[in-house]
Amino acid sequence: MEVAAALTDKAHSVSVIGIETVPFKKLFEANRVKFYMLNEVSEMIGHHGQLKEVVLKSGKVLRADVCVVGTGCVPATAFLKQSGIHLDSKGFITVNKMMQTNVDSVFAGGDVVMFPFPQRNNKKVNIPHWQMAHVHGRVAALSMMGKPSEIKTVPYFWSAMYGKTIRYAGFGDGFDDVIIQGDLDELRFVAFYTRSEEVVAVASMNYDPIVSRVAEVLGSGKTIKKRDVETGDISWLIDKGS
Ligand SMILES: Cc1cc2nc3c(=O)[nH]c(=O)nc-3n(C[C@H](O)[C@H](O)[C@H](O)COP(=O)(O)OP(=O)(O)OC[C@H]3O[C@@H](n4cnc5c(N)ncnc54)[C@H](O)[C@@H]3O)c2cc1C
């Protein structure tokens, strides 16, 4: 979506093809981006090494000069299979809270690891964020120097498209409800992801600095209750957690 947004004022036309629906369709369509959702690419046709057409499963043919493929990622850890370093069934390297693998003196961090996440009772998770990789590197380096430290951070992710800020903090895996405050039609809102009675993650569009505030509260070890964000008045979040 970021690539599509960045190309809007550079390309003659921009099309997004995806197998799911998409949340910001309205924002993008207002900026001339066309969507072909619940669809997929079945063929790319070129001429003399230059892309000419993209054929969709629906039969639609799009003229195109460039196709950016964003279909997810998998850990490139096959080369470790014979190393003795433990990989899980999906190829992620498993580490302990010091970012140490099962092999003495071998540490790992970043997108390729499953690590114990303190905010989920040390359940092993994979969080592929830039900021998370930094924290892993720091913890691993301190561990190597014999100064054990723990992962103490709140996952945080941000973006901006068409002048609208998008923020996300926390770990929403397993959420069972979403409380929305603000106005979805105006694209100015905050969404609290809750699990049982607790807020586990928050996302916002054009609603700064609420996500940073939530990250600060969660980072200080406090919890935010679902009932506290259901009331509609979230001004209290600026200086309080329970
Ligand atoms: C399109 C895209 C957009 C993203 N946007 C954001 C964002 O907005 N915010 C955010 O927080 N995160 C974002 N991310 C995620 C972020 O880039 C990653 O979380 C972060 O880069 C992870 O750092 P890393 O060091 O673990 O891995 P990487 O940055 O992927 O670095 C791994 C390096 O290892 C090298 N490598 C792989 N195999 C071998 C090998 N066998 N031998 C030697 N070298 C090898 C690779 O070439 C690469 O340079 C985005 C990712 C993608 C793909």
Side-chain angles (χ1 to χ4, degrees):
M1 300 304 288
E2 285 174 334
V3 173
L7 288 176
T8 301
D9 59 355
K10 297 171 187 68
H12 173 70
S13 70
V14 179
S15 299
V16 175
I17 301 140
I19 55 174
E20 297 167 336
T21 54
V22 67
F24 312 133
K25 205 169 165 204
K26 193 174 128 186
L27 173 64
F28 278 72
E29 282 177 341
N31 286 281
R32 295 190 307 115
V33 176
K34 292 188 195 121
F35 283 85
Y36 299 90
M37 303 312 287
L38 301 173
N39 216 321
E40 56 190 90
V41 173
S42 58
E43 192 182 357
M44 290 192 213
I45 299 171
H47 187 64
H48 294 311
Q50 169 66 48
L51 179 66
K52 291 288 176 195
E53 291 176 334
V54 174
V55 184
L56 307 191
K57 197 176 171 187
S58 62
K60 175 90 182 164
V61 179
L62 305 175
R63 281 185 52 210
D65 300 307
V66 174
C67 182
V68 179
V69 182
T71 50
C73 48
V74 289
T77 51
F79 72 102
L80 291 173
K81 273 186 183 154
Q82 308 301 325
S83 69
I85 294 172
H86 182 259
L87 306 177
D88 74 5
S89 59
K90 291 182 177 161
F92 290 101
I93 301 169
T94 54
V95 293
N96 64 18
K97 63 182 182 181
M98 288 153 62
M99 309 312 294
Q100 191 166 20
T101 69
N102 62 309
V103 174
D104 200 28
S105 302
V106 178
F107 295 78
D111 284 8
V112 286
V113 300
M114 290 290 285
F115 68 98
F117 188 45
Q119 284 158 36
R120 280 293 170 88
N121 295 323
N122 290 321
K123 180 185 167 194
K124 288 210 169 163
V125 299
N126 173 257
I127 303 180
H129 291 182
W130 181 85
Q131 161 255 4
M132 210 71 221
H134 269 235
V135 173
H136 287 171
R138 186 169 188 280
V139 171
L142 287 168
S143 301
M144 288 174 203
M145 293 192 299
K147 296 180 181 172
S149 71
E150 295 200 5
I151 296 161
K152 211 171 164 233
T153 188
V154 178
Y156 195 99
F157 184 92
W158 64 271
S159 186
M161 297 179 220
Y162 302 118
K164 305 236 180 262
T165 62
I166 296 167
R167 320 283 187 216
Y168 177 88
F171 185 62
D173 190 46
F175 71 91
D176 52 31
D177 201 4
V178 184
I179 315 287
I180 306 233
Q181 302 281 2
D183 192 328
L184 287 174
D185 287 333
E186 288 291 317
L187 296 177
R188 185 178 180 279
F189 60 89
V190 55
F192 295 95
Y193 295 79
T194 62
R195 195 161 173 257
S196 298
E197 293 308 310
E198 249 178 54
V199 173
V200 289
V202 60
S204 77
M205 179 172 263
N206 260 16
Y207 219 98
D208 289 337
I210 194 82
V211 169
S212 297
R213 301 284 192 213
V214 171
E216 279 172 5
V217 172
L218 297 180
S220 70
K222 294 175 183 166
T223 56
I224 299 171
K225 299 290 179 203
K226 183 177 180 179
R227 63 172 182 273
D228 291 335
V229 296
E230 275 176 328
T231 61
D233 175 13
I234 45 178
S235 57
W236 63 272
L237 247 182
I238 287 165
D239 55 14
K240 188 184 142 218
S242 56

